[in-house]
Coordinates of all heavy atoms in Angstrom, one line a residue:
M13 N -31.6 -295.8 -3.8 CA -30.5 -296.7 -3.4 C -31.1 -298.1 -3.1 O -32.0 -298.2 -2.2 CB -29.8 -296.1 -2.2 CG -28.8 -297.1 -1.6 SD -28.0 -296.5 -0.1 CE -27.2 -295.0 -0.6
P14 N -30.7 -299.1 -3.7 CA -31.2 -300.4 -3.4 C -30.8 -300.8 -2.0 O -29.8 -300.4 -1.5 CB -30.5 -301.4 -4.4 CG -30.0 -300.5 -5.5 CD -29.8 -299.1 -4.9
V15 N -31.7 -301.6 -1.4 CA -31.4 -302.1 0.0 C -30.0 -302.7 0.1 O -29.3 -302.5 1.1 CB -32.5 -303.0 0.5 CG1 -32.2 -303.6 1.9 CG2 -33.9 -302.2 0.6
D16 N -29.7 -303.6 -0.8 CA -28.4 -304.2 -0.8 C -27.2 -303.2 -0.8 O -26.2 -303.4 0.0 CB -28.2 -305.2 -2.0 CG -29.1 -306.4 -1.9 OD1 -29.6 -306.7 -0.8 OD2 -29.3 -307.1 -2.9
A17 N -27.4 -302.2 -1.5 CA -26.3 -301.1 -1.6 C -26.3 -300.4 -0.2 O -25.2 -300.1 0.3 CB -26.6 -300.1 -2.7
A18 N -27.4 -300.1 0.4 CA -27.5 -299.4 1.7 C -26.8 -300.3 2.7 O -26.1 -299.8 3.6 CB -28.9 -299.1 2.0
H19 N -27.1 -301.6 2.7 CA -26.5 -302.5 3.6 C -25.0 -302.6 3.5 O -24.2 -302.5 4.4 CB -27.1 -303.9 3.5 CG -26.5 -304.9 4.4 ND1 -26.7 -304.9 5.7 CD2 -25.7 -305.9 4.1 CE1 -26.1 -305.9 6.3 NE2 -25.4 -306.6 5.3
A20 N -24.5 -302.6 2.2 CA -23.1 -302.6 2.0 C -22.4 -301.4 2.5 O -21.3 -301.4 3.1 CB -22.8 -302.8 0.5
A21 N -23.1 -300.2 2.3 CA -22.5 -299.0 2.7 C -22.4 -299.0 4.3 O -21.5 -298.4 4.9 CB -23.3 -297.8 2.2
G22 N -23.4 -299.5 4.9 CA -23.4 -299.6 6.4 C -22.3 -300.5 6.8 O -21.6 -300.2 7.9
C23 N -22.0 -301.6 6.1 CA -20.8 -302.4 6.5 C -19.5 -301.6 6.4 O -18.6 -301.8 7.2 CB -20.8 -303.6 5.6 SG -22.1 -304.8 5.9
E24 N -19.4 -300.8 5.4 CA -18.2 -300.0 5.2 C -18.0 -299.0 6.4 O -16.9 -298.8 6.9 CB -18.2 -299.1 3.9 CG -18.1 -300.0 2.6 CD -16.7 -300.5 2.4 OE1 -15.8 -299.8 2.8 OE2 -16.6 -301.6 1.9
L25 N -19.1 -298.4 6.8 CA -19.1 -297.5 8.0 C -18.5 -298.3 9.2 O -17.7 -297.7 9.9 CB -20.5 -297.0 8.3 CG -21.0 -295.9 7.4 CD1 -22.5 -295.6 7.7 CD2 -20.2 -294.6 7.5
V26 N -19.0 -299.5 9.4 CA -18.6 -300.3 10.6 C -17.1 -300.6 10.5 O -16.3 -300.5 11.5 CB -19.4 -301.6 10.7 CG1 -18.8 -302.5 11.8 CG2 -20.8 -301.2 11.1
M27 N -16.6 -300.9 9.3 CA -15.1 -301.1 9.2 C -14.3 -299.9 9.5 O -13.2 -300.1 10.0 CB -14.8 -301.6 7.7 CG -15.4 -303.0 7.5 SD -14.8 -303.8 5.9 CE -14.9 -302.5 4.7
F28 N -14.8 -298.7 9.4 CA -14.1 -297.5 9.7 C -14.4 -297.0 11.2 O -14.0 -295.9 11.6 CB -14.4 -296.4 8.7 CG -13.7 -296.7 7.4 CD1 -14.4 -297.1 6.3 CD2 -12.3 -296.5 7.3 CE1 -13.8 -297.3 5.1 CE2 -11.7 -296.8 6.0 CZ -12.5 -297.2 5.0
G29 N -15.2 -297.8 11.9 CA -15.5 -297.5 13.3 C -16.7 -296.6 13.5 O -16.9 -296.0 14.6
Y30 N -17.6 -296.6 12.5 CA -18.8 -295.8 12.6 C -20.1 -296.7 12.5 O -20.0 -297.8 12.0 CB -18.9 -294.7 11.5 CG -17.9 -293.6 11.7 CD1 -16.6 -293.8 11.0 CD2 -18.1 -292.5 12.4 CE1 -15.7 -292.8 11.2 CE2 -17.1 -291.5 12.6 CZ -15.9 -291.7 11.9 OH -15.0 -290.7 12.1
T31 N -21.2 -296.2 12.9 CA -22.4 -296.9 12.7 C -23.5 -295.8 12.5 O -23.4 -294.7 12.9 CB -22.8 -297.8 13.9 OG1 -23.9 -298.6 13.6 CG2 -23.1 -297.0 15.2
I32 N -24.6 -296.2 11.9 CA -25.7 -295.3 11.6 C -26.4 -295.1 13.0 O -26.7 -296.1 13.7 CB -26.7 -295.9 10.6 CG1 -25.9 -295.8 9.2 CG2 -28.0 -295.0 10.5 CD1 -26.7 -296.5 8.1
W33 N -26.8 -293.9 13.3 CA -27.4 -293.6 14.6 C -28.8 -294.4 14.6 O -29.6 -294.2 13.7 CB -27.7 -292.1 14.7 CG -27.7 -291.6 16.1 CD1 -28.9 -291.5 16.8 CD2 -26.7 -291.3 17.0 NE1 -28.6 -291.0 18.1 CE2 -27.2 -290.9 18.2 CE3 -25.3 -291.2 16.8 CZ2 -26.4 -290.5 19.3 CZ3 -24.5 -290.8 17.9 CH2 -25.1 -290.5 19.1
P34 N -29.0 -295.2 15.6 CA -30.2 -296.1 15.6 C -31.5 -295.3 15.5 O -32.4 -295.8 14.9 CB -30.1 -296.8 16.9 CG -28.6 -296.9 17.2 CD -28.1 -295.6 16.7
G35 N -31.6 -294.2 16.1 CA -32.9 -293.4 16.1 C -33.2 -292.9 14.7 O -34.4 -292.4 14.5
T36 N -32.3 -293.0 13.7 CA -32.6 -292.5 12.4 C -33.3 -293.5 11.5 O -33.7 -293.2 10.4 CB -31.4 -291.9 11.7 OG1 -30.4 -293.0 11.5 CG2 -30.7 -290.8 12.5
V37 N -33.3 -294.8 12.0 CA -33.9 -295.8 11.2 C -35.4 -295.8 11.4 O -35.9 -296.1 12.5 CB -33.3 -297.2 11.6 CG1 -34.0 -298.3 10.8 CG2 -31.8 -297.2 11.3
T38 N -36.2 -295.3 10.5 CA -37.6 -295.1 10.6 C -38.3 -295.8 9.4 O -37.6 -296.1 8.4 CB -38.0 -293.6 10.7 OG1 -37.6 -293.0 9.5 CG2 -37.3 -293.0 11.9
P39 N -39.6 -295.9 9.4 CA -40.3 -296.5 8.3 C -40.1 -295.7 7.0 O -40.2 -296.3 5.9 CB -41.8 -296.5 8.7 CG -41.7 -296.5 10.2 CD -40.5 -295.7 10.6
D40 N -39.8 -294.4 7.0 CA -39.7 -293.6 5.8 C -38.2 -293.4 5.4 O -37.9 -292.6 4.6 CB -40.4 -292.3 5.9 CG -39.8 -291.4 7.0 OD1 -39.2 -291.9 7.9 OD2 -39.9 -290.2 6.9
S41 N -37.3 -294.2 6.0 CA -35.9 -294.1 5.7 C -35.5 -295.5 5.1 O -36.2 -296.5 5.2 CB -35.0 -293.8 6.9 OG -35.0 -294.9 7.8
L42 N -34.3 -295.5 4.5 CA -33.8 -296.7 3.9 C -32.6 -297.1 4.8 O -31.5 -296.5 4.6 CB -33.3 -296.5 2.5 CG -32.7 -297.8 1.8 CD1 -33.8 -298.9 1.8 CD2 -32.3 -297.5 0.4
I43 N -32.8 -297.9 5.8 CA -31.8 -298.3 6.8 C -31.1 -297.0 7.3 O -29.8 -297.0 7.4 CB -30.8 -299.3 6.2 CG1 -31.5 -300.4 5.5 CG2 -29.9 -299.9 7.2 CD1 -30.6 -301.4 4.8
G44 N -31.9 -296.0 7.7 CA -31.3 -294.8 8.3 C -30.9 -293.7 7.4 O -30.5 -292.7 7.8
R45 N -31.0 -294.0 6.1 CA -30.6 -293.0 5.1 C -31.8 -292.3 4.5 O -32.9 -292.9 4.3 CB -29.8 -293.6 3.9 CG -28.5 -294.2 4.4 CD -28.0 -295.2 3.4 NE -26.7 -295.7 3.8 CZ -26.5 -296.7 4.7 NH1 -27.5 -297.2 5.3 NH2 -25.3 -297.1 5.0
R46 N -31.7 -291.0 4.3 CA -32.8 -290.3 3.7 C -32.3 -289.6 2.4 O -31.2 -289.1 2.4 CB -33.3 -289.2 4.7 CG -34.0 -289.8 5.8 CD -34.7 -288.6 6.6 NE -35.8 -289.0 7.4 CZ -35.9 -290.0 8.3 NH1 -34.8 -290.8 8.4 NH2 -36.9 -290.3 9.0
A47 N -33.2 -289.5 1.4 CA -32.9 -288.7 0.2 C -32.7 -287.3 0.6 O -33.5 -286.7 1.4 CB -33.9 -288.9 -0.8
V48 N -31.8 -286.6 0.0 CA -31.6 -285.2 0.2 C -32.4 -284.5 -0.9 O -32.2 -284.8 -2.1 CB -30.1 -284.8 0.1 CG1 -29.9 -283.3 0.1 CG2 -29.3 -285.5 1.1
P49 N -33.3 -283.6 -0.5 CA -34.2 -282.9 -1.5 C -33.4 -282.2 -2.6 O -32.4 -281.6 -2.3 CB -35.0 -281.9 -0.6 CG -34.9 -282.4 0.8 CD -33.6 -283.1 0.9
D50 N -33.9 -282.3 -3.8 CA -33.3 -281.7 -5.0 C -31.9 -282.1 -5.3 O -31.2 -281.4 -6.0 CB -33.4 -280.1 -4.8 CG -34.8 -279.6 -4.6 OD1 -35.7 -280.2 -5.3 OD2 -35.0 -278.7 -3.9
Q51 N -31.5 -283.2 -4.8 CA -30.1 -283.7 -5.1 C -30.2 -285.2 -5.3 O -31.1 -285.9 -4.8 CB -29.2 -283.4 -3.9 CG -28.9 -281.9 -3.7 CD -27.9 -281.7 -2.6 OE1 -27.0 -282.5 -2.4 NE2 -28.0 -280.5 -2.0
Q52 N -29.2 -285.7 -6.0 CA -29.1 -287.2 -6.2 C -28.2 -287.8 -5.2 O -27.2 -288.4 -5.5 CB -28.7 -287.5 -7.6 CG -29.8 -287.1 -8.6 CD -29.3 -287.5 -10.0 OE1 -28.2 -287.7 -10.3 NE2 -30.3 -287.6 -10.9
T53 N -28.5 -287.6 -3.9 CA -27.6 -288.1 -2.8 C -28.5 -288.5 -1.6 O -29.6 -288.2 -1.5 CB -26.6 -287.1 -2.5 OG1 -25.6 -287.7 -1.6 CG2 -27.2 -285.9 -1.8
W54 N -27.8 -289.2 -0.7 CA -28.5 -289.6 0.5 C -27.7 -289.1 1.7 O -26.5 -288.9 1.6 CB -28.6 -291.2 0.6 CG -29.4 -291.7 -0.5 CD1 -29.2 -291.8 -1.8 CD2 -30.7 -292.3 -0.3 NE1 -30.2 -292.4 -2.5 CE2 -31.2 -292.7 -1.6 CE3 -31.6 -292.4 0.8 CZ2 -32.4 -293.2 -1.8 CZ3 -32.8 -293.0 0.6 CH2 -33.2 -293.4 -0.7
S55 N -28.4 -289.0 2.9 CA -27.7 -288.6 4.1 C -28.1 -289.5 5.2 O -29.2 -290.0 5.2 CB -27.9 -287.1 4.3 OG -28.8 -286.9 5.4
A56 N -27.2 -289.6 6.2 CA -27.5 -290.4 7.4 C -26.7 -289.9 8.5 O -25.6 -289.4 8.4 CB -27.1 -291.9 7.1
K57 N -27.3 -289.9 9.7 CA -26.6 -289.5 10.9 C -25.7 -290.7 11.4 O -26.3 -291.8 11.6 CB -27.6 -289.1 12.0 CG -26.9 -288.6 13.3 CD -27.9 -288.1 14.3 CE -27.2 -287.7 15.6 NZ -28.1 -287.3 16.6
V58 N -24.5 -290.5 11.5 CA -23.6 -291.5 12.0 C -22.8 -291.1 13.2 O -22.7 -289.9 13.6 CB -22.6 -292.0 10.9 CG1 -23.3 -292.5 9.7 CG2 -21.6 -290.8 10.6
G59 N -22.3 -292.1 13.9 CA -21.5 -291.8 15.1 C -20.5 -292.9 15.4 O -20.7 -294.0 14.8
T60 N -19.5 -292.7 16.2 CA -18.6 -293.8 16.6 C -19.3 -294.6 17.7 O -20.3 -294.2 18.3 CB -17.3 -293.2 17.1 OG1 -17.6 -292.5 18.3 CG2 -16.6 -292.3 16.1
F61 N -18.8 -295.7 17.9 CA -19.3 -296.6 19.0 C -19.2 -295.9 20.3 O -20.1 -296.0 21.2 CB -18.6 -298.0 19.0 CG -18.9 -298.8 17.8 CD1 -17.9 -299.1 16.9 CD2 -20.2 -299.2 17.5 CE1 -18.2 -299.8 15.7 CE2 -20.5 -299.9 16.4 CZ -19.5 -300.3 15.5
T62 N -18.1 -295.1 20.5 CA -18.0 -294.4 21.8 C -19.0 -293.3 21.9 O -19.6 -293.1 23.0 CB -16.6 -293.7 21.8 OG1 -15.6 -294.7 21.7 CG2 -16.3 -292.9 23.1
Q63 N -19.4 -292.6 20.8 CA -20.4 -291.6 20.9 C -21.8 -292.3 21.2 O -22.6 -291.7 22.0 CB -20.5 -290.9 19.6 CG -19.3 -289.9 19.3 CD -19.3 -289.4 17.9 OE1 -19.7 -290.1 17.0 NE2 -18.8 -288.2 17.8
L64 N -22.0 -293.4 20.6 CA -23.3 -294.1 20.9 C -23.4 -294.5 22.4 O -24.4 -294.4 23.0 CB -23.4 -295.3 20.0 CG -23.7 -295.0 18.5 CD1 -23.6 -296.3 17.7 CD2 -25.0 -294.4 18.3
Q65 N -22.3 -295.1 22.9 CA -22.3 -295.5 24.3 C -22.5 -294.3 25.2 O -23.2 -294.3 26.2 CB -20.9 -296.1 24.7 CG -20.8 -297.5 24.1 CD -19.5 -298.2 24.4 OE1 -18.5 -297.5 24.5 NE2 -19.5 -299.5 24.6
A66 N -21.9 -293.1 24.9 CA -22.0 -291.9 25.7 C -23.4 -291.4 25.7 O -23.9 -290.8 26.6 CB -21.1 -290.8 25.2
A67 N -24.2 -291.7 24.6 CA -25.6 -291.3 24.5 C -26.5 -292.3 25.1 O -27.7 -292.1 25.1 CB -25.9 -291.1 23.0
G68 N -25.9 -293.4 25.6 CA -26.8 -294.4 26.3 C -27.4 -295.4 25.4 O -28.4 -296.0 25.7
I69 N -26.8 -295.5 24.2 CA -27.4 -296.4 23.2 C -26.6 -297.7 23.2 O -25.4 -297.7 23.2 CB -27.4 -295.8 21.8 CG1 -28.3 -294.5 21.8 CG2 -27.9 -296.8 20.7 CD1 -28.3 -293.7 20.6

């Protein structure tokens, strides 16, 4: 997934009230997304702003 596409997908999440869980953004991820082994797809942990606040983030 190109970085621009990952960024655009992140913007879509925000418009629906979600965000990528900050702790999932690591040097081996693409803006919090990871390739799913043996599949042509990506996964990311997301949460609502309320869930992030409840977690102290």
Side-chain angles (χ1 to χ4, degrees):
M13 173 186 296
V15 174
D16 290 343
H19 178 71
C23 292
E24 291 288 324
L25 286 171
V26 170
M27 289 191 315
F28 288 106
Y30 294 91
T31 189
I32 294 175
W33 207 266
T36 62
V37 179
T38 62
D40 65 336
S41 71
L42 180 61
I43 311 177
R45 293 159 179 83
R46 287 192 160 51
V48 176
D50 301 323
Q51 296 184 28
Q52 293 183 339
T53 189
W54 293 75
S55 109
K57 181 178 179 181
V58 299
T60 64
F61 293 115
T62 303
Q63 290 170 324
L64 290 170
Q65 286 178 326
I69 298 173

